[in-house]
């Protein structure tokens, strides 16, 4: 076995056996006495919403990501701004985030059935899982629960802590490691870009002015670059959208990694995964759909445990948009 392959194998074995330390604070069926129907309620509403609007799968998944990378998975992104504070929602990376109304609808129903028992953080985590799981007709990974909701939401923290679409590999890995996520998690969780869309503005530099000389990013597949330039003519229309995963933006599958291997990663942060030898090797491994789905579930479980508030920490909000009075 080649050394690099062996190294990846060792990483895989370690990865399969570890769990985010904060996840140990959570447990399965946390609400089995206080609200035994909560997971059924979340799934039914989420599946109904995604069935009616397939774009919601990507939106709810992104909402969960953006929550967990700022202050941990505490539903701080759901808090509205106040006269004295600009919340995470207003930060530039979050202005295109959606899915809030789905969480509101679920919370309203859960409060009717189990008043003041279930946190918005747990609802968001479950809804993200269920949104992805809809196309498979079954839950794709387990979600331990017991999170409490945070009381603080600050726009500047979102701006500083969320991975950028323009980030290079070392920056991305550093941000993931800051959240107790490793290189396998970085590659695997980037696979969320197998669904959803973005805007031409985020790829304009790669297409028209990569080094400031009116050039195209040389790492971009030339044919793909030509297609993108047709879809995003200069001057850029800020409202024009692009599929993150070419011709596969509604199907949660491993096609994203196939595209990366053809140098068709849309965002700079996607292309960055191919600039590190180990990361690129993991990308190849993830082209196997069974491998990707198994690893994705494990990485989502790890991410869902980032700096969670439990026990007497935080609160259970009555309304996900405001802290309790």
């Amino acid at each position: 076995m080649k050394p690099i392959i062996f190294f990846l194998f060792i990483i895989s074995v370690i990865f399969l056996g570890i769990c985010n330390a904060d996840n140990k604070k959570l447990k399965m069926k946390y609400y089995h006495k206080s609200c035994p129907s909560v997971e059924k309620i979340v799934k039914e509403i989420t599946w109904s919403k995604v069935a009616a609007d397939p774009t919601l799968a990507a939106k709810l998944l992104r909402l969960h990501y953006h929550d967990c990378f700022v202050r941990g998975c505490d539903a701080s992104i759901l808090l509205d701004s106040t006269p004295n504070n600009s919340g995470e929602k207003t930060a530039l990376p979050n202005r295109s985030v959606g899915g809030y109304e789905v969480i509101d609808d679920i919370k309203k129903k859960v409060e009717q059935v189990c008043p003041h028992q279930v946190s918005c953080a747990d609802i968001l985590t479950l809804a993200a899982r269920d949104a992805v799981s809809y196309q498979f007709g079954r839950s794709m990974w387990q979600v331990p629960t017991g999170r409490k909701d945070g009381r603080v939401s600050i726009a500047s923290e979102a701006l500083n802590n969320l991975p950028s679409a323009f980030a290079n590999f070392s920056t991305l890995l550093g941000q993931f490691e800051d959240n107790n996520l490793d290189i396998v998690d970085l590659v695997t969780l980037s696979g969320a870009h197998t669904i959803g869309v973005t805007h031409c503005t985020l790829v304009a530099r790669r297409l028209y002015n990569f080094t400031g000389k009116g050039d195209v990013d040389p790492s971009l597949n030339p044919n793909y670059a030509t297609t993108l330039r047709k879809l995003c003519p200069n001057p850029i229309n800020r409202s024009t959208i692009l599929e993150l995963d070419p011709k596969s933006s509604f199907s949660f599958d491993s096609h994203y990694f196939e595209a990366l291997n053809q140098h068709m990663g849309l965002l700079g942060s996607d292309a960055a995964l191919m600039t590190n030898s180990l990361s690129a090797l993991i990308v190849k491994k993830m082209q196997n759909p069974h491998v990707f789905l198994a690893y994705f579930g494990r990485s989502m479980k790890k991410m869902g445990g980032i700096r969670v508030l439990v026990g007497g920490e935080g609160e259970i909000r009555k309304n996900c948009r405001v802290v309790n009075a």
Side-chain angles (χ1 to χ4, degrees):
M1 181 179 291
K2 295 181 179 179
I4 190 68
I5 302 292
F6 179 72
F7 184 37
L8 180 59
F9 174 74
I10 293 298
I11 285 180
S12 301
V13 171
I14 293 173
F15 173 67
L16 289 172
I18 65 176
C19 179
N20 187 312
D22 286 343
N23 247 319
K24 295 177 182 177
K25 300 177 182 178
L26 307 172
K27 63 181 182 180
M28 298 302 301
K29 305 298 181 182
Y30 177 83
Y31 298 106
H32 75 284
K33 290 184 179 179
S34 61
C35 191
S37 60
V38 61
E39 293 197 27
K40 182 173 183 287
I41 293 171
V42 174
K43 184 178 81 169
E44 288 181 348
I45 294 178
T46 302
W47 282 20
S48 174
K49 297 287 187 180
V50 174
D53 179 4
T55 67
L56 282 172
K59 290 176 181 178
L60 288 168
L61 185 57
R62 186 177 182 219
L63 185 59
H64 181 42
Y65 271 58
H66 282 222
D67 179 45
C68 290
F69 270 79
V70 183
R71 290 186 167 267
C73 307
D74 67 345
S76 55
I77 195 172
L78 303 180
L79 288 170
D80 287 339
S81 297
T82 67
N84 299 318
N85 178 67
S86 295
E88 293 171 30
K89 287 180 180 178
T90 66
L92 183 60
N94 285 333
R95 292 177 189 172
S96 58
V97 171
Y100 297 107
E101 295 79 9
V102 177
I103 305 302
D104 289 338
D105 288 347
I106 296 171
K107 179 64 172 176
K108 182 179 180 180
K109 179 62 177 179
V110 170
E111 283 295 309
Q112 292 173 352
V113 177
C114 314
H116 204 47
Q117 295 296 323
V118 181
S119 70
C120 299
D122 277 340
I123 288 174
L124 176 53
T125 308
L126 288 165
R129 187 270 311 272
D130 292 337
V132 172
S133 298
Y134 171 72
Q135 79 171 70
F136 301 97
R138 62 183 178 87
S139 295
M140 297 303 290
W141 63 88
Q142 293 183 325
V143 175
T145 45
R147 299 165 187 79
K148 294 298 190 294
D149 300 322
R151 301 184 179 93
V152 177
S153 182
I154 303 173
S156 60
E157 293 184 348
L159 186 62
N160 293 334
N161 296 325
L162 288 171
S164 167
F166 309 104
N168 60 29
F169 180 80
S170 59
T171 298
L172 289 171
L173 184 60
Q175 288 178 303
F176 272 67
E177 288 178 338
D178 287 344
N179 288 295
N180 199 28
L181 300 171
D182 57 32
I183 188 171
V184 181
D185 300 312
L186 167 58
V187 176
T188 304
L189 292 172
S190 295
H193 285 174
T194 190
I195 54 174
V197 297
T198 191
H199 291 83
C200 287
T201 49
L202 291 183
V203 296
R205 181 182 172 188
R206 297 189 75 199
L207 298 177
Y208 294 107
N209 201 29
F210 187 65
T211 65
K213 299 179 181 178
D215 53 342
V216 178
D217 183 348
S219 72
L220 196 58
N221 181 301
N223 292 332
Y224 187 45
T226 298
T227 298
L228 291 175
R229 285 166 69 102
K230 290 178 181 178
L231 294 171
C232 301
N234 223 359
I236 297 295
N237 183 333
R238 301 183 67 86
S239 64
T240 304
I241 60 174
L242 297 168
E243 292 181 293
L244 284 166
D245 185 359
K247 299 181 180 179
S248 183
S249 62
F250 288 112
S251 177
F252 198 89
D253 52 35
S254 61
H255 185 264
Y256 166 81
F257 297 104
E258 295 175 23
L260 284 189
N261 273 304
Q262 297 169 28
H263 301 287
M264 293 170 62
L266 182 62
L267 303 177
S269 57
D270 295 320
L273 299 180
M274 301 303 291
T275 64
N276 173 273
S277 59
L278 181 55
S279 173
L281 192 58
I282 298 170
V283 167
K284 290 184 179 180
K285 183 181 180 71
M286 293 298 165
Q287 287 184 112
N288 182 316
H290 301 292
V291 171
F292 167 55
L293 292 175
Y295 273 68
F296 188 79
R298 292 183 175 94
S299 288
M300 285 296 291
K301 189 174 179 181
K302 285 181 69 178
M303 188 184 77
I306 295 175
R307 296 191 300 280
V308 292
L309 303 175
V310 295
E313 304 170 314
E315 65 182 15
I316 294 177
R317 288 186 220 138
K318 297 177 183 178
N319 180 335
C320 291
R321 294 176 178 264
V322 297
V323 297
N324 295 336

